[in-house]
């Protein structure tokens, strides 16, 4: 086999030196597939399966390669074998393609529907169009089927099928680098009321309420929300725009209501809305009544008009708080608004320690790196570590000797990775200076000074 790509040749040599290294062989096979070298990839996946014959992911990748090579019969044998184990969303989509290729449209649609019920991220608009049903309709059908199954379950059944997943996070505040002031505000609003309910009730304070976190992307808002649930051992429901919005009139409001109902049934529960401005944009900017109805429903759920929100802790994150409808900031709704800036120097050092934990390192000067990475977000720091590790991997594949990560490696990566927060602050500065009614963005001005 002759490979023109230099990086692939290096991987090929590394596999020859270490033929029983399963992760390395998987990576080589995936790289071949990504470059369209399916014949070569087939050989590598077969070799990898000889090392791990029960690896379902390897089986799926081999089935995909067979499909690309037009070996539909061999691909079908594998996906049918995978169907006997735990559901595999991508394998179900591949199964749907194979059935469609064989003219079995109804069976293909059913397999595709099953895949979406497991994992919505496998949505394939092109495949859905060939099946004659829009992807959004199929998501709705899958949801209706889940709700029908839920209706016949007894009240004592556990783990029912819901519109969104309920998590039990294992991380806590100890896993969040820095952000001590923000953690303390969350403790006062959420954690202390749950741990000391009698004291709060004596003062007439309800356990629950909302916190809105805003700031540049990648600074840990989602991570902090998940850690909050883990800190109090509560359920965690992460809600995205796709979990709520629906093309049919009235369904978006129903989805939103059901999500809140799910949180109420599982209290104490942290209900987290990411990119909340997409669901709660200013009504003055909306041209359709449908969008306004969703916002009205959202406000109604936050107020607990029909059902108490006791024990439901609503956290939301946005990169653009200036687009949020002002009604959400009223007391009882998102009455605590927290600016989440890029991590400070101590926090950056903590984040780098957490991200390099468990990896081969050699006397890394975290304080020096933290000093030189001003305005880096948590995501930027992760990217920094990833770039440094990739350089080490490239070197190790050539020499066959893995070496530990050093301060110089991370400093070298810092020449490539730049802070992504600068563009956000450029926009935020304008709002903070010229549209800062009531001092809503004073924290931004304070940070910039």
């Amino acid at each position: 086999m002759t490979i023109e790509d230099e990086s692939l040749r290096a991987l090929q040599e590394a596999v020859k030196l270490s033929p029983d290294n399963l992760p390395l062989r998987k990576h080589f096979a995936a790289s071949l597939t990504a470059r369209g070298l399916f014949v070569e990839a087939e050989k590598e996946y077969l070799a990898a399966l000889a090392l791990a014959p029960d690896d379902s992911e390897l089986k799926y990748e081999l089935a995909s390669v067979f499909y690309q090579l037009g070996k539909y019969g061999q691909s079908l044998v594998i996906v049918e074998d995978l169907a006997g184990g735990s559901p595999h969303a991508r394998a179900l989509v591949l199964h749907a393609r194979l059935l469609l290729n064989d003219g079995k449209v109804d069976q293909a649609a059913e397999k595709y529907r099953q895949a979406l019920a497991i994992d919505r991220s496998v949505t394939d608009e092109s495949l859905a169009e060939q099946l004659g049903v829009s992807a959004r309709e199929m998501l709705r059908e899958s949801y209706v089927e889940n709700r029908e199954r839920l209706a016949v379950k007894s009240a004592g059944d556990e783990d029912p099928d819901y519109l969104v997943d309920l998590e039990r996070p294992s991380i806590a505040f100890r896993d969040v680098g820095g952000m001590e002031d923000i953690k303390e505000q969350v403790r006062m609003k959420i954690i202390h009321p749950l741990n000391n309910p009698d004291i709060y009730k004596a003062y007439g304070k309800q356990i629950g309420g909302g916190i809105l976190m805003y700031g540049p992307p990648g600074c840990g808002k989602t991570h902090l929300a998940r850690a909050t649930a883990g800190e109090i051992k509560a359920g965690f429901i992460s809600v995205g725009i796709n979990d709520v919005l629906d093309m049919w009139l009235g369904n978006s409001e129903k989805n939103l209501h059901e999500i809140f109902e799910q949180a109420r049934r599982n209290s104490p529960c942290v209900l987290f809305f990411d990119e909340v401005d997409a669901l709660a944009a200013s009504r003055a900017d909306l041209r359709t009544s449908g969008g306004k109805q969703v916002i009205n429903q959202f406000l109604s759920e936050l107020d607990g008009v029909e059902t108490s929100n006791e024990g439901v802790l609503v956290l939301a994150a946005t990169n653009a708080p200036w687009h949020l409808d002002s009604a959400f900031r009223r007391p009882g709704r998102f009455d605590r608004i927290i600016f989440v800036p890029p991590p400070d120097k101590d926090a950056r050092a903590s984040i780098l320690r957490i991200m390099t934990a468990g990896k081969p390192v050699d006397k890394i000067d975290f304080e020096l790196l933290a000093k030189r990475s001003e305005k880096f977000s948590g995501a930027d720091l992760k990217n920094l570590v990833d770039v440094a590790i990739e350089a080490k991997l490239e070197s190790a594949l050539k020499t066959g000797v893995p070496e530990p990560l050093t301060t110089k490696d991370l400093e070298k990566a810092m020449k490539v990775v730049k802070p992504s927060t600068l563009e956000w602050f450029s926009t935020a500065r304008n709002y903070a200076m010229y549209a800062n009614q009531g001092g809503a963005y004073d924290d931004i001005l304070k940070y910039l000074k």
Side-chain angles (χ1 to χ4, degrees), residues 113 132-143 247-248:
R113 187 179 293 109
V133 185
S134 73
R136 188 179 289 274
E137 277 184 82
M138 299 191 82
L139 282 171
R140 171 50 48 187
E141 289 174 19
S142 174
Y143 166 63
M247 67 183 293
W248 303 110

Side-chain angles (χ1 to χ4, degrees), residues 229-267:
E231 188 78 9
I232 56 178
K233 295 179 174 56
F236 180 77
I237 298 175
S238 180
V239 184
I241 185 172
N242 291 331
D243 296 314
V244 177
L245 297 187
D246 192 287
M247 67 183 293
W248 303 110
L249 190 64
N251 278 346
S252 298
E253 295 92 311
K254 290 178 183 177
N255 291 344
L256 192 57
H257 174 70
E258 180 52 41
I259 289 168
F260 269 89
E261 282 295 295
Q262 181 181 344
R264 291 164 186 142
R265 287 192 294 266
N266 291 280
S267 65

Side-chain angles (χ1 to χ4, degrees), residues 434-445:
Y434 307 113
N436 193 20
Q437 295 87 353
Y441 309 126
D442 283 352
D443 286 338
I444 295 175
L445 294 174

Side-chain angles (χ1 to χ4, degrees), residues 89-147:
R90 289 188 297 156
L92 286 167
V93 172
L94 179 57
H95 199 171
R97 290 197 183 98
L98 289 164
L99 289 168
L100 180 63
N101 188 65
D102 202 27
K104 299 174 181 177
V105 180
D106 291 341
Q107 293 180 42
E110 178 59 26
K111 292 297 178 185
Y112 183 55
R113 187 179 293 109
Q114 291 174 19
L116 292 181
I118 296 168
D119 184 357
R120 297 183 185 185
S121 69
V122 300
T123 299
D124 187 322
E125 296 284 355
S126 176
L127 177 59
E129 186 177 350
Q130 292 178 66
L131 293 173
V133 185
S134 73
R136 188 179 289 274
E137 277 184 82
M138 299 191 82
L139 282 171
R140 171 50 48 187
E141 289 174 19
S142 174
Y143 166 63
V144 170
E145 287 177 0
N146 284 340
R147 299 307 301 159

Side-chain angles (χ1 to χ4, degrees), residues 103-232:
K104 299 174 181 177
V105 180
D106 291 341
Q107 293 180 42
E110 178 59 26
K111 292 297 178 185
Y112 183 55
R113 187 179 293 109
Q114 291 174 19
L116 292 181
I118 296 168
D119 184 357
R120 297 183 185 185
S121 69
V122 300
T123 299
D124 187 322
E125 296 284 355
S126 176
L127 177 59
E129 186 177 350
Q130 292 178 66
L131 293 173
V133 185
S134 73
R136 188 179 289 274
E137 277 184 82
M138 299 191 82
L139 282 171
R140 171 50 48 187
E141 289 174 19
S142 174
Y143 166 63
V144 170
E145 287 177 0
N146 284 340
R147 299 307 301 159
E148 288 174 349
R149 287 199 300 272
L150 178 60
V152 299
K153 290 193 174 193
S154 66
D157 283 345
E158 295 183 358
D159 195 26
D161 293 320
Y162 287 116
L163 183 60
V164 286
D165 293 331
L166 176 71
E167 301 176 37
R168 295 287 175 181
S170 58
I171 64 170
F173 280 176
R174 64 178 178 277
D175 302 302
V176 180
M179 303 174 76
E180 296 306 323
D181 179 60
I182 298 170
K183 290 178 191 174
E184 187 55 36
Q185 292 188 60
V186 173
R187 287 189 185 99
M188 287 300 299
K189 179 68 178 178
I190 290 178
I191 297 175
H192 293 330
L194 278 174
N195 293 337
N196 304 279
D198 293 337
I199 295 176
Y200 275 74
K201 285 181 179 178
Y203 285 95
K205 289 286 288 183
Q206 190 180 43
I207 300 174
I211 292 178
L212 174 66
M213 298 179 288
Y214 76 94
C219 290
K221 295 183 284 294
T222 303
H223 189 54
L224 179 64
R226 187 171 273 107
T228 299
E231 188 78 9
I232 56 178

Side-chain angles (χ1 to χ4, degrees), residues 282-293:
S282 173
R283 283 170 289 188
D285 297 333
L286 295 176
R287 296 181 180 180
T288 63
S289 60
K292 295 177 182 178
Q293 289 303 320

Side-chain angles (χ1 to χ4, degrees), residues 350-364 366 378 381-393 402-407 409-410:
S350 298
I351 291 169
L352 287 170
R353 285 190 180 92
I354 292 171
M355 289 182 174
T356 54
K359 297 178 176 64
V361 298
D362 181 23
K363 299 178 182 178
I364 292 180
F366 292 107
L381 293 172
K382 182 180 184 304
N383 190 26
L384 178 71
V385 174
D386 288 344
V387 168
I389 288 175
E390 285 171 7
K392 277 293 183 186
L393 283 172
E403 296 180 352
L405 201 63
T406 66
T407 303
D409 294 321
L410 289 162

